[in-house]
Amino acid sequence: MKIATLQFSPRLGLVNENIGQADSILSSSSSSLHDIDLLVLPELAFTGYNHSSLQSITPYLEPTSAGPSTQWAIRTARRLECLVTVGYPELVSPTPPPPSTLQPTMLNLGPEPETYYTLTAYNSTVTVNPLGETVAHYRKTHLYYTDEVWAQESPQGFTTAELNFPPKVRTAAYAEQEAARKGVVRHTTTQAICMDLNHHHFIPRPPPSALCKHVLATETSLLVLSTAWLTHLPSSALLSQPEEFDLDTLAYWFNALEGLIDSDREVICVFANRCGEEAGRVVPSVLAKEDQEERDGGGVGVRYAGSSWIGKVGVGRGKVVVGGIMGRSEEGVLVVETEGMGVGGKGLKFELRKREGQG
């Protein structure tokens, strides 16, 4: 399989501008995108992530598989002839009223006080094919602090879909290949979003995590994680070495995947993160020391770790093979051919070493 991730720095609430930025990056990388099977974008890719309240994000909520993010995914899937996954804020309740009528946890459908209704929204991803069909849809199960002010946990929990990847025969239309199922590669695919990688509410538990258990139980062969993962690194470090990946974040991800890394089941992993900074609400635990004085003045929001990567786990006990990885502040497209990746093949090799006290 040939898989791509788009890593960029969307600005909070500027949906059209962010879509334009994504299109520009893809256009400048067109030669490397030839014959890709899957393109994955970050969590809340076009709306930005660090919304401070329900009222803040409400103008950007999108109907299920039908808003600007899904429409962009369909256009892009048709143009590139591949599957596209994108993160977006999903609204499953009626169309919200103007922000001026909002209450902290409820929305007003009319002029009378008793006409409030509870908003139902999810932090979601949608996957479409070049025919414009939704082939997978997932709602975040483990919410981070920032999500909890506006989103609900997925009532279904982790889900798995069978995704079909037809061969890239340029003389035949995608629809014909899909219908004929000739040479189609099928992957049992689990999709997840950011905090899903952690234990629920960060409550300590022995490995494997709930996500890893699901991947193993469903015999998943492709794990796709869209994320807006934060970093402790100060702005100075992000700007001075933008093409260096965030080693602490990568190590954290690998430790969270311990249940898969220690298994003998090979799983392709796609981690699509964003980069850059956003102002707004900040969780104190992610502040670097140099930011403490700026926090009260509103000069610091959050910073993202970038470092999107594509690789394989389960290729040897304790081993991870990374076919490609982006820098912590690098904007662009990462493209990796997963065929041939392995302990004895191509890719960077990492070994997970258990921390003291782990079994």
Side-chain angles (χ1 to χ4, degrees), residues 302-317:
V302 293
R303 293 177 297 278
Y304 298 94
S307 308
S308 300
W309 66 280
I310 300 168
K312 286 183 180 179
V313 298
V315 292
R317 292 296 177 118

Side-chain angles (χ1 to χ4, degrees), residues 95 97 115 121 186 197 222 242 284:
T95 302
T115 57
R186 295 181 179 86
L197 197 60
L222 175 62

Side-chain angles (χ1 to χ4, degrees), residues 85-158:
T85 297
V86 62
Y88 77 104
E90 178 193 6
L91 174 69
V92 295
S93 293
T95 302
S100 60
T101 67
L102 301 185
Q103 299 298 311
T105 59
M106 309 189 83
L107 297 177
N108 190 347
L109 284 176
E112 301 300 326
E114 59 269 20
T115 57
Y116 286 104
Y117 73 96
T118 301
L119 175 69
T120 302
Y122 298 99
N123 184 338
S124 303
T125 60
V126 61
T127 302
V128 302
N129 67 17
L131 304 180
E133 299 167 335
T134 297
V135 295
H137 190 275
Y138 171 70
R139 293 166 177 166
K140 193 172 185 177
T141 300
H142 295 171
L143 301 184
Y144 189 61
Y145 310 113
T146 310
D147 307 311
E148 291 175 340
V149 302
W150 65 271
Q152 304 291 318
E153 290 187 353
S154 169
Q156 292 83 25
F158 299 120

Side-chain angles (χ1 to χ4, degrees), residues 152-195:
Q152 304 291 318
E153 290 187 353
S154 169
Q156 292 83 25
F158 299 120
T159 58
T160 297
E162 294 292 330
L163 298 186
N164 297 316
F165 299 91
K168 293 294 183 176
V169 181
R170 309 306 291 186
T171 57
Y174 179 96
E176 295 171 356
Q177 298 176 49
E178 178 74 0
R181 292 290 196 271
K182 292 182 179 179
V184 169
V185 175
R186 295 181 179 86
H187 275 285
T188 302
T189 305
T190 291
Q191 294 185 319
I193 303 173
C194 203
M195 177 68 187

Side-chain angles (χ1 to χ4, degrees), residues 44-58:
L44 302 184
F46 298 133
T47 61
Y49 178 73
N50 198 36
H51 292 273
S52 59
S53 65
L54 174 65
Q55 184 166 354
S56 167
I57 200 170
T58 295

